[in-house]
Amino acid sequence: KSLENKKTKEVQNKKDLETKQKEYKEKEEQFKKLDTYSKDVDKLNNDINDLINKNKDYDNYLNKIVELNNAEKEYKVMCDSYDKQNALYENMKRKYYLNISVEIADTLIDGEKCPVCGSKEHPKKAIATECEYTKEDIEHAEKQLKNIDGLRKTNEATIEQVRKTIKEYNIPENIDVSLEKEKNTELLDKKRKEKENL
């Protein structure tokens, strides 16, 4: 009876073993699939990060283009402002020094040397013009001119720096960056869904 019980148990154990081996194979297959899924998820994570970084580059690039356009407009305004201020400064200087030359001309005597050119004849003496400018006015105008020029040069340096940064993105000029970003975002959404499904 004990022997029969042992034989029955052996048969049952063999059945149990077969069932467990079958289960083991199924689980092994599942683990292999999980391992593949895990590798696929890692690859998708890398792709997603690359696309996110690409979008950041596109955003930064577009911001730099706007910054460049604004800086170039500002530079044009500063150049116009510099030209106007320079014209005013030169005009003030010309009138101021013309009146000084009139003062010198008033002291000239025929036959005596001119303190400026050394000539003893003075056929065309300077004639006074209306000049409301003082030496302080001219100095103030020159200071303003230098300030505008300083701002203009700073702006010029900014433009060069922004252009250099734009070049570093290595984005060809003939590419529509907004459109590329749109395509990139669509691909990013697709990859995120793939990852979710996995």
Side-chain angles (χ1 to χ4, degrees):
K1 197 175 178 181
S2 175
L3 183 63
E4 278 175 19
N5 283 343
K6 297 282 181 194
K7 281 181 178 177
T8 308
K9 191 148 187 155
E10 186 192 11
V11 170
Q12 186 58 47
N13 279 348
K14 279 182 178 176
K15 281 181 183 174
D16 287 350
L17 180 63
E18 281 174 16
T19 306
K20 291 291 177 191
Q21 281 175 328
K22 196 178 171 186
E23 274 181 33
Y24 179 82
K25 278 192 173 179
E26 284 172 4
K27 297 279 189 227
E28 203 173 34
E29 286 302 310
Q30 285 179 339
F31 273 112
K32 279 180 186 173
K33 279 184 183 177
L34 277 174
D35 192 44
T36 305
Y37 290 158
S38 179
K39 284 174 184 168
D40 288 346
V41 166
D42 286 344
K43 189 188 178 305
L44 280 168
N45 275 335
N46 287 335
D47 291 348
I48 286 166
N49 285 334
D50 287 347
L51 289 167
I52 286 169
N53 288 332
K54 210 170 190 183
N55 267 1
K56 280 180 187 170
D57 281 351
Y58 285 150
D59 282 337
N60 291 335
Y61 177 85
L62 290 169
N63 288 338
K64 286 290 171 190
I65 292 291
V66 170
E67 193 181 328
L68 179 64
N69 289 338
N70 290 339
E72 283 174 343
K73 282 178 194 168
E74 201 177 318
Y75 181 71
K76 191 182 180 310
V77 169
M78 282 180 187
C79 284
D80 291 345
S81 180
Y82 178 84
D83 290 344
K84 282 177 191 168
Q85 184 64 26
N86 190 45
L88 175 68
Y89 171 67
E90 290 299 329
N91 185 42
M92 287 169 80
K93 234 172 39 169
R94 188 178 51 77
K95 284 186 176 179
Y96 177 76
Y97 287 113
L98 182 62
N99 277 359
I100 288 176
S101 67
V102 169
E103 287 174 24
I104 294 170
D106 286 344
T107 63
L108 295 177
I109 300 164
D110 282 332
E112 287 185 17
K113 281 186 179 181
C114 168
V116 178
C117 65
S119 175
K120 289 185 179 183
E121 294 175 9
H122 319 292
K124 286 187 178 178
K125 290 182 183 179
I127 301 162
T129 57
E130 277 187 45
C131 179
E132 65 278 6
Y133 306 119
T134 63
K135 193 176 182 187
E136 286 75 27
D137 292 334
I138 290 167
E139 283 169 359
H140 180 69
E142 187 180 17
K143 194 177 175 185
Q144 279 184 310
L145 188 65
K146 282 179 181 173
N147 283 343
I148 293 167
D149 192 40
L151 290 169
R152 188 177 66 158
K153 282 175 181 168
T154 303
N155 190 260
E156 205 171 4
T158 302
I159 288 169
E160 283 310 305
Q161 184 55 50
V162 173
R163 279 185 182 150
K164 189 181 170 190
T165 305
I166 287 169
K167 273 186 184 175
E168 285 168 8
Y169 286 106
N170 289 324
I171 296 171
E173 286 180 26
N174 59 337
I175 279 179
D176 184 343
V177 176
S178 298
L179 189 66
E180 286 300 311
K181 191 190 167 199
E182 221 173 276
K183 288 178 190 171
N184 208 48
T185 305
E186 281 172 23
L187 188 58
L188 182 60
D189 291 341
K190 189 181 163 191
K191 296 272 183 189
R192 279 177 172 153
K193 279 172 191 167
E194 275 181 48
K195 181 186 163 185
E196 209 175 298
N197 291 335
L198 279 171

